[in-house]
Amino acid sequence: DPNSPVALPYSTRTLPYSAYHAGTRGDIRTVGMAGATVGLGDTFAAASDNPAGLAMTMNVGDTHASGNQIKDRNLQQSANALTSAGFGLALQPSQWALSVGSINTWGEGQFFNISGQPSPVHLDQYTREYHLGVARRWDDYGLAVGAQLRVGVLHQSLGLDPNEFANPEVSASSLGATFGFLYRLPKGPWPRGLLIGGALNTPMRYV
């Protein structure tokens, strides 16, 4: 049975794993663009990739509520999907813009067999990230810059109960940030309103 518990290979993660894969998370617009929002960033979800878009391309405001499920065999059995949900608000009252919200991810884990333990145990990780972003636009230069602060809390549980929230858990926290810019090209042979964007995203390390 490919979905039966497997032997727990190690007590702590020692193998490298990159979260950048074909699975795109966010709202309908972000998923529909396959995550290509660094040069746009006009929703709360896209602001995580380039917060400068809050001041350059967003129109008045954005409310956000979304849920995604991803099956990643590189991480765990495909029968155990990873689930994420996001809630947020973004406003652009003037040349300044602000975004606030949270993105929660859970379901990283599955049942494992542990030597000496008669019943399979359930390992799970639940992550909650709080995002706060701010951006500023300068119309005379066709330029916008933005920054977003991310505060993360990780809960890891291990126990016999299939409900991960009922098992003993440990917690860790992390800080991260994203810095971005958008530049609107002046009139030329290219399409009107063409934007060039870039962003730097710092990693989140939970301790």
Side-chain angles (χ1 to χ4, degrees):
D1 183 359
N3 298 323
S4 62
V6 297
L8 188 65
Y10 39 74
S11 58
T12 59
R13 176 170 291 164
T14 59
L15 301 178
Y17 174 75
S18 174
Y20 289 96
H21 49 68
T24 302
R25 310 182 192 194
D27 53 16
I28 294 176
R29 182 175 175 84
T30 303
V31 173
M33 296 178 63
T37 56
V38 171
L40 190 63
D42 59 351
T43 69
F44 164 77
S48 296
D49 295 321
N50 189 350
L54 294 170
M56 177 69 82
T57 60
M58 188 175 65
N59 185 17
V60 181
D62 168 67
T63 56
H64 170 87
S66 67
N68 308 108
Q69 279 198 330
I70 297 175
K71 295 182 178 180
D72 188 343
R73 294 183 180 179
N74 293 319
L75 186 60
Q76 58 198 38
Q77 295 169 337
S78 59
N80 303 103
L82 280 77
T83 303
S84 66
F87 308 91
L89 172 68
L91 295 173
Q92 183 197 2
S94 62
Q95 291 179 320
W96 288 91
L98 179 71
S99 68
V100 62
S102 68
I103 297 178
N104 310 317
T105 304
W106 65 94
E108 181 183 338
Q110 60 183 33
F111 281 97
F112 291 96
N113 289 321
I114 295 180
S115 177
Q117 173 67 46
S119 302
V121 297
H122 188 262
L123 172 68
D124 186 83
Q125 292 194 142
Y126 173 80
T127 306
R128 182 188 299 271
E129 289 186 10
Y130 300 96
H131 292 195
L132 176 63
V134 63
R136 173 72 157 85
R137 183 183 77 251
W138 289 270
D139 292 324
D140 292 342
Y141 302 100
L143 177 68
V145 297
Q148 184 185 77
L149 175 67
R150 304 188 306 275
V151 180
V153 179
L154 169 69
H155 301 279
Q156 185 179 65
S157 63
L158 181 67
L160 300 176
D161 200 309
N163 177 9
E164 63 270 21
F165 299 107
N167 292 318
E169 67 175 29
V170 294
S171 300
S173 59
S174 180
L175 284 174
T178 302
F179 305 94
F181 78 92
L182 281 174
Y183 176 66
R184 190 183 305 275
L185 292 177
K187 294 181 180 180
W190 41 80
R192 181 182 179 185
L194 184 64
L195 297 173
I196 295 178
L200 174 64
N201 196 333
T202 66
M204 301 277 287
R205 293 187 174 91
Y206 287 89
V207 294

